[in-house]
Amino acid sequence: MTSASVPKGAAFGPDFAEATFEMGVKDSVGFGHATNQEYRVGDVARIEDAGIVKIFTWAAKKPMPFLLQAGKEVTVFAKMDRTTGAPGITSTTDNWCINASRFTPAPATRYRVVQKGSAFGSCALTVVETETGRVPEGLEVILFPPSEARD
């Protein structure tokens, strides 16, 4: 899957980096609750305006590689929500964890992106270069939600 700014037929290499989005919740399903995890990417300030890259559910757990245009700043948004109760009877959903980070992907570099957490605790978004395990140069952690995201 590629972002809107990546032309069809583009491939990992000198003009493109690759980010692999991973599921970071172990306790995604249990009696009376389910946790979903969503990743979005864009050159925007609001999560609602970014394109969905991957949604993880109890049934969809496979990591997803995604092309990013090298040299162009991108924001990665990660959200977890929890549904409790029985769907259709008495269920509620809450967004209990939202994170965002901004960086400029380097050419021909692979990144690992994972928001780890538990369905009943806090969470954190991590972006690292796959080969080195280091945070990308210039990575900015965005305090979420930024004021402009609430407009």
Side-chain angles (χ1 to χ4, degrees), residues 34-82:
T35 301
N36 297 314
Q37 187 172 21
E38 176 180 303
Y39 291 100
R40 292 178 177 237
V41 172
D43 57 357
V44 296
R46 293 169 25 111
I47 189 170
E48 296 85 2
D49 298 332
I52 296 173
V53 175
K54 177 67 178 172
I55 297 175
F56 290 100
T57 66
W58 66 272
K61 298 180 180 183
K62 185 177 179 180
M64 169 65 93
F66 187 83
L67 290 179
L68 302 171
Q69 189 170 4
K72 183 177 180 184
E73 187 175 79
V74 66
T75 303
V76 175
F77 298 93
K79 177 177 83 170
M80 290 184 187
D81 63 45
R82 171 180 50 226

Side-chain angles (χ1 to χ4, degrees), residues 17-149:
E18 182 181 87
T20 298
F21 294 85
E22 300 177 9
M23 184 172 185
V25 178
K26 291 183 180 180
D27 50 354
S28 61
V29 175
F31 184 73
H33 82 272
T35 301
N36 297 314
Q37 187 172 21
E38 176 180 303
Y39 291 100
R40 292 178 177 237
V41 172
D43 57 357
V44 296
R46 293 169 25 111
I47 189 170
E48 296 85 2
D49 298 332
I52 296 173
V53 175
K54 177 67 178 172
I55 297 175
F56 290 100
T57 66
W58 66 272
K61 298 180 180 183
K62 185 177 179 180
M64 169 65 93
F66 187 83
L67 290 179
L68 302 171
Q69 189 170 4
K72 183 177 180 184
E73 187 175 79
V74 66
T75 303
V76 175
F77 298 93
K79 177 177 83 170
M80 290 184 187
D81 63 45
R82 171 180 50 226
T83 302
T84 56
I89 301 172
T90 55
S91 82
T92 59
T93 300
D94 65 326
N95 296 329
W96 60 273
C97 189
I98 300 175
N99 291 292
S101 289
R102 184 178 347 205
F103 72 105
T104 302
T109 303
R110 288 190 164 92
Y111 299 93
R112 179 175 175 251
V113 180
V114 62
Q115 178 175 262
K116 290 188 178 184
S118 87
F120 297 103
S122 63
C123 65
L125 175 63
T126 304
V127 179
V128 296
E129 294 179 6
T130 304
E131 189 175 305
T132 65
R134 288 186 287 208
V135 172
E137 185 176 329
L139 179 83
E140 176 187 358
V141 175
I142 301 168
L143 298 177
F144 200 87
S147 59
E148 62 266 19

